[in-house]
């Protein structure tokens, strides 16, 4: 590629593809032994720097080094305290937009907060945004989102009658599974979101969402369709898990199970 002239559109397309697959570090043509570098780095940090005397201050022309961006996740207690201060969904969105305690934000294009009607009786919760969601800043807008829209339409619902969010509001690089620490630090914001929406029915879309919300390791094929009363931050609602639309795209035969769940959801809503 170095010997070929690339126009601006091709370069931007290549960069977009790199970002989509999770590339987060630039490399040179010459190989670099990063294992050796990582072994040297701890030894350097163990050497204590000598105390600087007052007469040895850095010259005024030398600006202080900017702090490196941290990719570590904050304490969930910090997130919980921030989420609790939000009195409205708009407050919560602004708090999340300013929150720097989740490393996923560093590589995401947009915050994917929610979509739909905050006054709806039903709230749907997925796992994490994908590429299309990251670009548009809205949950479930890709292929799985299109299927979800058709599923909702089959029982007389659309996005004006439901509220949709995710357990994690930023896209993990390469669409990988969110790490437990990433989920833990984002969960207080989701709980507060659920509390503010106060739905009558909560639907976990897929095994990851169900595992988080129901605090269980039971697989989605065994968990789906089992109704329960779920209390989050003092708000009690009926809750159920169903198969994720992305799973249904891969396993079309499972749509009959999802249809059973949809009919049960319709019945719970009194439809």
């Amino acid at each position: 590629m170095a010997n070929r002239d690339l126009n601006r559109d091709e370069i931007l397309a290549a960069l977009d593809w790199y970002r989509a697959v999770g590339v987060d570090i630039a490399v040179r043509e010459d190989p670099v032994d990063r294992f050796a570098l990582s072994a040297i780095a701890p030894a350097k940090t163990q050497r204590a720097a000598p105390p600087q005397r007052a007469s040895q201050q850095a010259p005024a022309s030398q600006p202080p080094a900017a702090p490196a961006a941290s990719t570590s996740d904050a304490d969930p207690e910090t997130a919980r305290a921030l989420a609790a201060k939000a009195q409205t969904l708009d407050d919560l969105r602004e708090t999340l937009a300013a929150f720097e305690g989740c490393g996923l934000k560093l590589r995401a294009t947009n915050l994917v907060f929610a979509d739909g009607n905050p006054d709806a009786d039903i709230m749907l919760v997925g796992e994490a945004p994908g590429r299309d969601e990251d670009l548009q800043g809205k949950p479930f807008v890709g292929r799985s989102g299109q299927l979800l829209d058709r599923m909702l339409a089959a029982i007389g619902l659309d996005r004006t009658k439901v509220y949709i969010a995710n357990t994690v509001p930023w896209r993990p690089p390469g669409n990988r599974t969110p790490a437990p620490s990433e989920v833990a630090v984002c969960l207080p914001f989701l709980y507060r979101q659920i509390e503010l929406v106060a739905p009558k029915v909560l639907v976990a879309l897929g095994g990851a969402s169900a595992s988080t919300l129901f605090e269980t390791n039971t697989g989605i094929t065994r968990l789906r369709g089992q109704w329960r009363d779920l209390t989050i931050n003092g708000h009690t609602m009926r809750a159920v898990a169903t198969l994720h639309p992305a799973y249904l795209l891969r396993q079309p035969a499972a749509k009959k199970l999802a249809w059973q769940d949809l009919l049960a959801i319709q019945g719970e809503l009194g439809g």
Side-chain angles (χ1 to χ4, degrees):
M1 184 176 292
N3 297 326
R4 177 177 164 226
D5 292 333
L6 296 176
N7 61 38
R8 182 174 180 274
D9 291 339
E10 289 176 316
I11 293 172
L12 291 176
L15 290 174
D16 183 62
W17 183 79
Y18 290 150
R19 184 191 58 78
V21 299
V23 174
D24 57 4
I25 187 171
V27 296
R28 301 177 299 182
E29 291 186 2
D30 298 330
V32 177
D33 189 345
R34 301 191 183 279
F35 291 102
L37 292 177
S38 62
I40 295 173
K44 289 184 177 181
T45 59
Q46 290 174 2
R47 301 192 188 104
Q52 187 179 42
R53 298 177 183 175
S55 61
Q56 295 178 330
Q57 298 296 329
S61 60
Q62 181 179 355
S70 173
T71 58
S72 60
D73 299 312
D75 182 354
E77 289 298 329
T78 301
R80 190 171 295 111
L82 290 171
K85 293 179 181 178
Q87 298 302 307
T88 66
L89 289 170
D90 287 338
D91 290 344
L92 189 63
R93 179 192 289 269
E94 292 178 4
T95 299
L96 258 177
F99 184 61
E100 301 294 339
C102 180
L104 292 177
K105 182 181 180 180
L106 299 177
R107 298 180 179 89
T109 303
N110 285 301
L111 168 70
V112 182
F113 183 71
D115 191 26
N117 184 356
D119 295 321
D121 289 337
I122 178 172
M123 180 172 178
L124 313 175
V125 180
E127 179 185 18
R131 179 179 183 275
D132 293 319
E133 290 75 17
D134 180 48
L135 292 175
Q136 298 187 38
K138 293 173 62 176
F140 286 92
V141 293
R143 289 185 62 220
S144 62
Q146 295 167 13
L147 176 56
L148 177 62
D149 288 341
R150 294 195 296 271
M151 292 166 64
L152 293 173
I155 56 172
L157 297 175
D158 57 34
R159 298 205 181 206
T160 68
K161 299 175 183 177
V162 303
Y163 187 81
I164 309 174
N166 283 307
T167 57
V168 170
W170 292 287
R171 180 199 180 196
N175 289 351
R176 65 164 171 77
T177 300
S181 62
E182 294 164 346
V183 174
V185 80
C186 292
L187 200 54
F189 297 105
L190 174 64
Y191 282 173
R192 182 60 175 154
Q193 197 172 10
I194 294 172
E195 183 182 16
L196 290 170
V197 175
K200 294 180 180 178
V201 173
L202 183 71
V203 179
L205 296 172
S209 174
S211 177
T212 298
L213 291 170
F214 300 157
E215 298 180 351
T216 179
N217 292 324
T218 303
I220 186 61
T221 54
R222 294 180 55 192
L223 191 63
R224 54 149 292 273
Q226 299 181 22
W227 287 87
R228 67 192 67 202
D229 291 322
L230 183 66
T231 300
I232 292 179
N233 284 7
H235 174 68
T236 301
M237 70 217 101
R238 296 288 286 163
V240 71
T242 190
L243 302 172
H244 196 287
Y247 175 82
L248 298 177
L249 289 173
R250 300 190 302 268
Q251 303 289 338
K255 289 182 179 180
K256 61 183 180 181
L257 300 177
W259 176 240
Q260 296 172 8
D261 298 337
L262 288 172
L263 292 177
I265 292 168
Q266 184 182 43
E268 193 70 28
L269 291 169

